[in-house]
Amino acid sequence: QVQLVESGGGLVQPGGSLRLSCTASGSFFRFYATAWYRQAPGKQRELVAGITTGSSINYADSVQGRFTISRDIPKNTMYLQMNSLKPEDTAVYYCNRLREPYWDWGQGTQVTVSS
C-alpha cells in the first residue's frame, strides 16, 4: 500500500514562494504518472500539475508560469515549487497518481496566502 506524506505548506504573503514536498513509501514515482492537487474550502479537489513517467508536464491554467513540478526518483519525492503566490492559491495541497485508481490520499499540507 502506497503511503504519501505531503509537507512544506504554511502561511505566506501574496507574491511569496513555497516549496511543497511529497514523499512516497516506495519507488512509485518511477513507475506512475503523478500529480499535485489542491482543495480549497467549499470547493472540489482540482488538479494543479502533473508529471508522467516520461517527464511530460502539464499545469492548470491558473498556475501556469508560477508553479513548477519536479521529482527526485532516488529520494521517492516529488516537489511543487510555487512562486508569485496569490490568495486564491489558498488550499490544502495533496499528491497522488495523475489518473485513477488513486492511492490512498495523504493528510495534505495547508497553504495559506494572506497579508
Side-chain angles (χ1 to χ4, degrees), residues 38-41 46 87-93 109-113:
R38 66 186 180 188
Q39 187 167 19
E46 63 173 351
E88 51 264 43
D89 295 318
T90 295
V92 179
Y93 284 70
T109 186
Q110 175 71 49
V111 172
T112 302
V113 184

Side-chain angles (χ1 to χ4, degrees), residues 55-70:
S55 299
S56 294
I57 292 172
N58 285 289
Y59 297 98
D61 290 344
S62 59
V63 307
Q64 181 75 47
R66 300 187 297 121
F67 289 12
T68 303
I69 188 173
S70 63

Side-chain angles (χ1 to χ4, degrees), residues 6 80 88 98:
E6 300 94 347
L80 186 68
E88 51 264 43
L98 179 60

